[in-house]
Amino acid sequence: MIRAPRVGVLALQGDVREHDRALRAAGAEPVHVRRVADLDGLDGLILPGGESTTISRLLGLFDLIEPLRSAVADGLPVYGSCAGMILLASAVLDGRPDQQGIGGLDIVVRRNAFGRQVDSFETDLAFTGVGDVHAVFIRAPWVESAGEAVQVLARVPEGNDPGGSPVAGRVVAVRQGALLATSFHPELTGDDRVHALFVDIVRRARG
Ligand code: GLN
């Protein structure tokens, strides 16, 4: 029998255990990644939500930035949720000047984009290839712009202007090759279909 895909979960900060559970439900074996050696033998990697400036600082401290950039360049499938989306983005608006990312995903993201008044909100949205998904946003970024190679998978639907500013239509899920990113947190809802999509990307990349 083919072994279950081994999917790393970056475990420096953020909601790690929820991703473990969702990965297991999707048929993958989660592996916590804290140092460079933990990247050996992974079939995929999840960058969880948390605080991107903190995760960025810890990535620097643990000398993980360059190895992760190389892994992405070598085609490792990576899924970034919220802060993880920020880490994968090629450019960040409203970031901290010293904030270092991993990059590889040709998007510009805006941090804390949904406004100060509303830290968090939830909505149902249509997710291409998955179906209707209940999306939980926590001080989330949105995708301000995306390159041609990037496929938009979900947008905020009409009637959702939580911060008083127009947010309907904003891009909140994207894919570029083996890189997947969502502004929201599917791991918090007990619905494992977005993780199943990622595990499918991982399986296909293994061939
Ligand atoms: N606002 C956070 C950041 O800038 C992301 C929030 C999250 O991951 N839930 O990193």
Side-chain angles (χ1 to χ4, degrees):
M1 212 182 81
I2 304 174
R3 67 170 172 77
R6 288 164 55 87
V7 176
V9 181
L10 185 69
L12 299 177
Q13 192 244 4
D15 61 337
V16 173
R17 269 182 301 182
E18 292 81 356
H19 284 288
D20 289 350
R21 191 203 53 76
L23 280 171
R24 281 199 193 94
E29 180 198 342
V31 178
H32 289 180
V33 172
R34 294 196 181 85
R35 57 183 101 193
V36 178
D38 299 332
L39 295 172
D40 286 350
L42 293 185
D43 300 308
L45 176 67
I46 289 183
L47 307 173
E51 177 50 53
S52 60
T53 53
T54 303
I55 297 175
S56 161
R57 190 168 50 77
L58 294 170
L59 286 175
L61 276 174
F62 289 91
D63 290 323
L64 274 161
I65 299 244
E66 284 309 326
L68 285 172
R69 286 181 181 161
S70 305
V72 168
D74 289 346
L76 183 74
V78 184
Y79 167 37
S81 161
C82 202
M85 170 190 263
I86 296 170
L87 291 168
L88 279 180
S90 49
V92 180
L93 303 174
D94 294 337
R96 278 213 340 223
D98 60 341
Q99 183 168 357
Q100 283 197 86
I102 298 163
L105 183 53
D106 188 13
I107 57 173
V108 179
V109 297
R110 185 175 293 282
R111 270 182 78 218
N112 303 330
F114 288 92
R116 282 179 191 279
Q117 305 91 315
V118 178
D119 270 353
S120 310
F121 76 104
E122 303 184 16
T123 186
D124 293 322
L125 47 75
F127 195 119
T128 302
V130 175
D132 287 341
V133 167
H134 187 69
V136 176
F137 295 84
I138 305 169
R139 292 185 294 285
W142 67 41
V143 177
E144 189 97 7
S145 63
E148 275 180 17
V150 177
Q151 186 189 4
V152 171
L153 300 177
R155 295 173 182 270
V156 177
E158 295 297 323
N160 283 279
D161 292 330
S165 59
V167 302
R170 291 293 180 177
V171 172
V172 290
V174 293
R175 176 177 176 184
Q176 180 182 355
L179 302 179
L180 178 71
T182 62
S183 304
F184 52 90
H185 293 268
E187 74 283 4
L188 297 182
T189 58
D191 174 353
D192 308 314
R193 289 174 300 155
V194 174
H195 288 74
L197 168 69
F198 180 60
V199 171
D200 189 55
I201 292 170
V202 169
R203 284 206 172 93
R204 282 168 201 271
R206 278 172 81 190

